[in-house]
Amino acid sequence: MSEMNPVTIDMILEAVKSYQPNADADLIRRAYELADAAHKGQKRVSGEDYISHPLAVAKILTDLQIDDITISAAILHDVVEDTLITLPDIEYIFGADVRKLVDGVTKLRNLPRTDSKKIENIRKMVVAMSEDIRVVIIKLADRLHNMRTLKYMTPAKQLEKSKETLEIFATIAHRIGMSKIKTELEDISFRYL
C-alpha cells in the first residue's frame, strides 16, 4: 500500500476473517487501539502518523495469511521500544503469546550492526533468538515495509539499510522459504545499491 491508500484496521480485519473465519477480531482491534493511542503524535520520516507502519506490517502478514495472534503482535511490535507500554502491560492485556512475540521482535531490533565477518553469526543469532518462527516473520514484514519507504531516508541510510537487507534479511527469508519477500527485499535493495 502506498501513502495514497493507507491501510486501515478494517482492511486488516476483513483480510484476516477471509482466511481465518474464527479469528479473534477483538484481539486485533484492541491491539490496534492500544498501538494507535501509544503512538499518538509520533510521525514517520515520511510525515505519516506512526500507526501507518504497524498497520502496513500487519497487511503484509495478512497477504501471507498469518494468524490473528501474530497480526496482533505485529500491530504492537514497536510499542515497547517506542512508547511507555511495557511487556507486562502487553501480557496483561493481550496474553502471554502476544507478549512473547512482541518481546522477540524487540530483541531482534537490538542486534549489533553488521560487518562482513559477523554476518553469518548474526543470521544464526536471529534464528536462535527466536523461539517462535513468527517472530522472524514479523521482523521480515517490518523490514519489508521499511524498505518500501526507504525513499524518505538519507542516501547514506538507504545504502546502509540496503546492504544489511541483502546480507541478512533476504538471506533469512530465502532460508525459511519466503521467496516472495526475499525477492522484493532484494529488488528494493538493488535499486538503492
Side-chain angles (χ1 to χ4, degrees):
M1 290 280 159
S2 72
E3 300 86 42
M4 302 298 273
N5 298 311
V7 178
T8 66
I9 189 59
D10 291 330
M11 293 166 71
I12 300 297
L13 291 169
E14 183 179 329
V16 173
K17 285 290 191 178
S18 73
Y19 62 81
Q20 188 184 359
N22 297 326
D24 188 344
D26 182 59
L27 179 74
I28 296 169
R29 187 170 294 282
R30 286 184 299 118
Y32 164 73
E33 289 168 355
L34 179 81
D36 187 41
H39 289 298
K40 195 63 77 191
Q42 294 178 348
K43 298 284 186 184
R44 303 257 303 154
V45 174
S46 65
E48 291 178 290
D49 288 336
Y50 194 87
I51 193 65
S52 66
H53 171 66
L55 285 174
V57 171
K59 174 66 173 92
I60 291 167
L61 295 176
T62 64
D63 292 345
L64 299 170
Q65 298 190 352
I66 302 295
D67 67 281
D68 52 357
I69 290 171
T70 309
I71 298 294
S72 299
I75 292 169
L76 295 165
H77 81 272
D78 281 334
V79 297
V80 172
E81 193 79 21
D82 297 341
T83 76
L84 299 176
I85 305 297
T86 65
L87 284 169
D89 295 334
I90 298 291
E91 184 164 358
Y92 179 76
I93 299 167
F94 301 100
D97 285 346
V98 172
R99 185 206 64 78
K100 181 178 76 169
L101 295 175
V102 171
D103 184 35
V105 174
T106 301
K107 286 178 181 172
L108 289 181
R109 180 184 237 186
N110 298 320
L111 285 176
R113 290 292 171 217
T114 66
D115 65 24
S116 57
K117 296 175 186 172
K118 295 181 184 175
I119 293 168
E120 188 59 31
N121 288 334
I122 291 172
R123 281 191 206 119
K124 290 175 183 174
M125 256 195 332
V126 168
V127 176
M129 284 175 66
S130 176
E131 296 174 0
D132 190 322
I133 191 67
R134 295 176 297 176
V135 169
V136 175
I137 293 170
I138 293 169
K139 189 61 185 170
L140 288 171
D142 174 52
R143 177 52 63 116
L144 179 56
H145 182 253
N146 284 331
M147 292 301 289
R148 287 176 177 173
T149 58
L150 199 58
K151 67 183 176 185
Y152 297 107
M153 301 304 246
T154 64
K157 190 61 87 172
Q158 291 170 346
L159 291 174
E160 175 191 332
K161 293 295 180 187
S162 295
K163 182 179 178 192
E164 182 180 75
T165 296
L166 281 178
E167 292 173 341
I168 299 169
F169 294 95
T171 302
I172 291 168
H174 174 71
R175 286 187 181 174
I176 64 173
M178 299 182 77
S179 60
K180 185 176 176 185
I181 288 186
K182 170 198 167 272
T183 300
E184 189 173 352
L185 288 171
E186 288 175 338
D187 288 349
I188 295 169
S189 296
F190 286 134
R191 190 176 319 141
Y192 288 98
L193 292 172

